[in-house]
Amino acid sequence: EAVSLVEKLFDEGHETLVMTGGSMFYIDAVCNGLDNLPDGDLALRSELWQRLEEEGVEVLAEELRRKDPLTYSQIDTRNSQRVIRALEVCLVSGKPFSSFKTGERRKRSFEIEKVGLTRPREELYSRIDQRVLNMMSEGLVEEVRSLLPYRDCQALQTVGYREIFEYLDGKIPLEEAVRLIQRNTRHYAKKQLTWWRRDPAIRWVEVSGQ
């Protein structure tokens, strides 16, 4: 859908489009296309989500590590949706999820220029910590509380929501939830940088102090 939208906007006369953010896999899919993965198994997926509730994402992530160490090292293993999807492919096919990623690039009808913003790690981590505090002061707890009826939605199995759900469940104090959000966000940022550093097409721009 994203590629179709980009092509439509170019057809309408736009000369330049800017896409920002998004997960590592999402941006890679837009730029290079998706690999052909096995069809999903709804019954197995339901079983994995049930296991997630009963055993936690750490147990499923460890199973993924044993079956596919490469994918385990590349994805956010605290993201339940990504862990379950990769594990589902492993179990359905009997092969590692990573074995289906051929690296074959799909030709696009438009030119792509990748620009990455970078800053010293200490500064990046400090900004992440402050951003989490800002999110808290701007009502993150109240936002997550309003989403309690939808907590099983896959989009809410991400950093920031998971930790506040645990706080609202009475499992951890609020201070610990904040600390975990900061830590988990730093870990994810580090993984993102490691991933993108492998892409020689990215032109890196230093934005320290900005």
Side-chain angles (χ1 to χ4, degrees):
E1 293 181 3
V3 173
S4 297
L5 176 60
V6 168
E7 292 175 337
K8 176 177 179 291
L9 291 172
F10 277 128
D11 288 341
E12 291 175 353
H14 297 276
E15 295 184 358
T16 303
L17 301 175
V18 177
M19 183 178 76
T20 63
S23 71
M24 297 170 283
F25 280 121
Y26 180 80
I27 294 177
D28 196 44
V30 171
C31 294
N32 303 317
L34 292 170
D35 294 295
N36 294 320
L37 298 175
D39 292 335
D41 184 321
L42 294 180
L44 174 59
R45 189 177 308 163
S46 177
E47 178 184 329
L48 290 172
W49 279 103
Q50 182 63 36
R51 286 185 56 195
L52 172 70
E53 293 185 9
E54 297 173 354
E55 304 172 27
V57 69
E58 294 81 6
V59 173
L60 296 181
E62 174 59 22
E63 184 174 346
L64 176 63
R65 186 190 66 79
R66 295 194 301 269
K67 294 182 179 298
D68 188 353
L70 180 57
T71 294
Y72 176 87
S73 70
Q74 292 178 338
I75 68 172
D76 176 9
T77 53
R78 294 174 297 276
N79 186 317
S80 306
Q81 179 179 358
R82 299 198 182 283
V83 170
I84 286 177
R85 178 54 178 151
L87 191 54
E88 178 187 345
V89 170
C90 292
L91 294 172
V92 166
S93 67
K95 301 177 182 178
F97 178 80
S98 56
S99 69
F100 293 95
K101 298 189 68 60
T102 63
E104 180 181 351
R105 296 176 180 270
R106 308 292 173 84
K107 187 175 181 180
R108 299 302 187 202
S109 61
F110 46 85
E111 295 183 4
I112 298 174
E113 181 172 353
K114 299 178 182 178
V115 178
L117 306 182
T118 185
R119 63 178 75 246
R121 182 159 296 181
E122 297 78 11
E123 182 181 340
L124 173 63
Y125 286 178
S126 176
R127 289 171 67 94
I128 287 173
D129 289 347
Q130 184 58 51
R131 176 175 176 270
V132 172
L133 295 178
N134 293 345
M135 290 165 58
M136 296 299 296
S137 65
E138 292 170 4
L140 179 61
V141 172
E142 290 72 20
E143 176 188 345
V144 177
R145 194 190 308 275
S146 72
L147 295 171
L148 280 171
Y150 314 101
R151 64 183 303 166
D152 293 331
C153 177
Q154 294 180 4
L156 299 180
Q157 310 302 313
T158 51
V159 176
Y161 292 112
R162 289 194 310 259
E163 296 83 357
I164 298 300
F165 281 137
E166 289 192 348
Y167 159 67
L168 294 175
D169 288 341
K171 295 180 179 178
I172 57 175
L174 184 59
E175 294 78 8
E176 177 66 3
V178 172
R179 186 190 72 81
L180 289 174
I181 295 173
Q182 291 173 325
R183 185 201 68 182
N184 294 340
T185 304
R186 292 194 301 268
H187 287 177
Y188 188 55
K190 181 179 179 181
K191 182 168 287 190
Q192 283 183 312
L193 286 171
T194 300
W195 172 279
W196 291 121
R197 292 292 185 190
R198 299 170 181 165
D199 188 344
I202 295 179
R203 177 165 59 89
W204 291 97
V205 177
E206 175 68 47
V207 293
S208 178
Q210 300 183 35

